[in-house]
Amino acid sequence: MTTPSLLILPGDGIGPEVMAEVRKIIDWMGAKRGLNFDVTEDLVGGAAYDKHGTPLHDDTMAKAQEVDAVLLGAVGGPKYDVLDFSVKPERGLLRLRKEMDLYANLRPAQCFDALSDFSSLKKEVVAGLDIMIIRELTSGVYFGEPRGIHKEGNERVGINTQRYTESEIARVARSAFEMARKRGNKVCSMEKANVMESGILWRDVVQEIHDAEYPDVELSHMYADAGAMQLTRWPKQFDVIVTDNLFGDLLSDLAAMLTGSLGMLPSASLGAPMANGRPKALYEPVHGSAPDIAGQGKANPIACILSFAMALRYSFDLGEEATRVEQAVEKVLADGVRTADLMGPEGGVPVSTSGMGDAIIAALDASL
């Protein structure tokens, strides 16, 4: 059996720092569990622009298409704000998503018991929260044509087009139903069918896929604005939420803050299966590049480490090892180990970025 391949793209800001802690986990898997990965590393975002004049070199894109999974840190920073839109660091990430056809973005929102006081909501509302938002990632208003800024008369007009095909909706709906079967067997589909034709089509297609292929899964529909209200009122009513690109962007960030810290949340972007049966896949933490703390050892590496855990589960069929990593993180948090973003009134054991990585490795050692 060939060694699974992984392309690491640390990116900008705190990306290289948090990715260094993931490399510790990867090395531990090889040394202690006999699970080796063929790891290559390359540039993306501002780091790629600085070297190549583009946020994603064609050679890097080719590598991403060939490997079993891509793990990305973060992209962007204020030094790149002056660049033309076409070469901003974020365009590198969007190109990866688009050309790899990563149509299903998995955003778990899980509240660890040790951090339930960090949420702005009451503890009883968020304690034990475990929901999955599946966002369509390669179509919708972010990619629809026509788009742009045009002059009409004496003023500028900005245009973006919301566009979805039946097949684009159907495939992400199937991803949601399949995920629900492995969890609580409930899907809530969110759109704006009351004011948008694309929302009407979305609701119709999701219902058709459910009735024809997944009648065993409980399905409900909700307008996206009502969904936002319900997420802040009683989020534990949800299991899997499936929604379009724009609403998924908004709702997943809202759900992220229910847990109290963006530094804790991973994500996966999955596409169609490759010849070896593994899905095209890109894993990345939800947090940004945080240039204000880059290079200071303050960054929380947990979201990036949990993103690797998602890769173990969804790309490499190593669910047991993914759970081992997740439980190690939970143990470290329960022991009060904290990076700066997790330090609350109750205090804790303050650690640096590398200190958090070392603590998780120690917890992994203790799990054997």
Side-chain angles (χ1 to χ4, degrees):
M1 188 174 178
T2 58
T3 304
S5 56
L6 184 65
L7 172 62
I8 287 180
L9 302 173
D12 310 319
I14 63 172
E17 295 169 70
V18 296
M19 198 63 75
E21 303 314 304
V22 176
R23 294 297 290 256
K24 292 178 182 177
I25 308 293
I26 294 171
D27 291 344
W28 184 90
M29 285 288 171
K32 300 296 180 70
R33 302 297 293 158
L35 299 171
N36 296 296
F37 297 88
D38 180 8
V39 179
T40 56
E41 189 168 313
D42 213 327
L43 303 174
V44 70
Y49 180 83
D50 288 342
K51 182 172 182 178
H52 302 297
T54 177
L56 187 72
H57 194 277
D58 288 346
D59 291 346
T60 310
M61 186 69 244
K63 291 178 188 176
Q65 296 282 23
E66 294 168 0
V67 296
D68 293 317
V70 178
L71 185 61
L72 186 143
V75 295
K79 67 176 284 191
Y80 305 107
D81 288 347
V82 298
L83 296 179
D84 183 79
F85 181 76
S86 63
V87 290
K88 284 185 180 294
E90 294 76 12
R91 303 307 295 178
L93 175 56
L94 289 175
R95 183 183 176 191
L96 283 165
R97 291 173 176 172
K98 188 66 175 178
E99 294 191 21
M100 293 174 71
D101 200 16
L102 306 175
Y103 58 82
N105 179 229
L106 279 55
R107 288 276 296 266
Q110 182 179 10
C111 187
F112 291 92
D113 286 345
L115 300 180
S116 57
D117 286 327
F118 276 72
S119 176
S120 56
L121 299 185
K122 296 175 182 177
K123 184 173 182 176
E124 62 267 24
V125 174
V126 296
L129 177 68
D130 181 11
I131 62 178
M132 178 71 78
I133 295 181
I134 298 185
R135 163 192 174 192
E136 199 289 322
L137 202 60
T138 58
S139 191
V141 74
Y142 291 171
F143 295 98
E145 298 288 347
R147 64 181 296 155
I149 300 175
H150 308 286
K151 197 77 177 290
E152 289 185 9
N154 295 322
E155 62 179 354
R156 291 173 296 165
V157 177
I159 297 174
N160 291 92
T161 302
Q162 169 82 338
R163 180 183 185 275
Y164 271 105
T165 65
E166 288 183 78
S167 58
E168 288 170 337
I169 300 168
R171 64 184 184 176
V172 75
R174 289 188 179 97
S175 295
F177 290 128
E178 293 288 345
M179 178 63 66
R181 280 179 169 172
K182 300 172 184 175
R183 293 172 48 94
N185 218 39
K186 291 197 306 181
V187 171
C188 182
S189 175
M190 296 188 184
E191 26 60 17
K192 285 288 287 179
N194 55 336
V195 292
M196 298 171 67
E197 286 79 3
S198 61
I200 296 172
L201 180 64
W202 183 282
R203 182 173 292 214
D204 287 348
V205 173
V206 171
Q207 188 68 53
E208 290 164 4
I209 294 296
H210 168 268
D211 294 348
E213 303 175 32
Y214 301 93
D216 56 300
V217 180
E218 181 184 333
L219 171 64
S220 60
H221 301 276
M222 193 175 288
Y223 298 142
D225 51 348
M229 290 190 289
Q230 291 299 321
L231 276 168
T232 56
R233 186 186 75 85
W234 191 246
K236 286 187 279 190
Q237 68 183 281
F238 298 110
D239 177 30
V240 174
I241 295 171
V242 63
T243 189
D244 74 9
N245 206 339
L246 174 60
F247 296 137
D249 196 353
L250 301 173
L251 292 170
S252 57
D253 276 3
L254 185 155
M257 287 314 299
L258 299 178
T259 71
S261 175
L262 282 173
M264 293 294 302
L265 297 170
S267 75
S269 299
L270 307 180
M274 298 180 287
N276 61 9
R278 294 184 173 125
K280 291 272 189 181
L282 182 146
Y283 300 89
E284 57 178 317
V286 169
H287 63 67
S289 61
D292 56 316
I293 61 169
Q296 300 176 36
K298 295 180 179 179
N300 182 352
I302 289 178
C304 204
I305 288 170
L306 292 177
S307 294
F308 176 63
M310 291 187 80
L312 291 173
R313 176 170 284 115
Y314 297 116
S315 281
F316 305 123
D317 199 25
L318 294 169
E320 182 179 334
E321 301 305 325
T323 299
R324 185 186 302 275
V325 173
E326 292 160 353
Q327 290 178 342
V329 169
E330 193 164 8
K331 173 68 165 59
V332 166
L333 294 173
D335 288 344
V337 178
R338 301 284 188 266
T339 45
D341 61 308
L342 301 179
M343 292 295 290
E346 76 286 352
V349 182
V351 294
S352 64
T353 305
S354 62
M356 179 61 83
D358 291 342
I360 293 171
I361 291 292
L364 286 170
D365 283 336
S367 73
L368 298 177

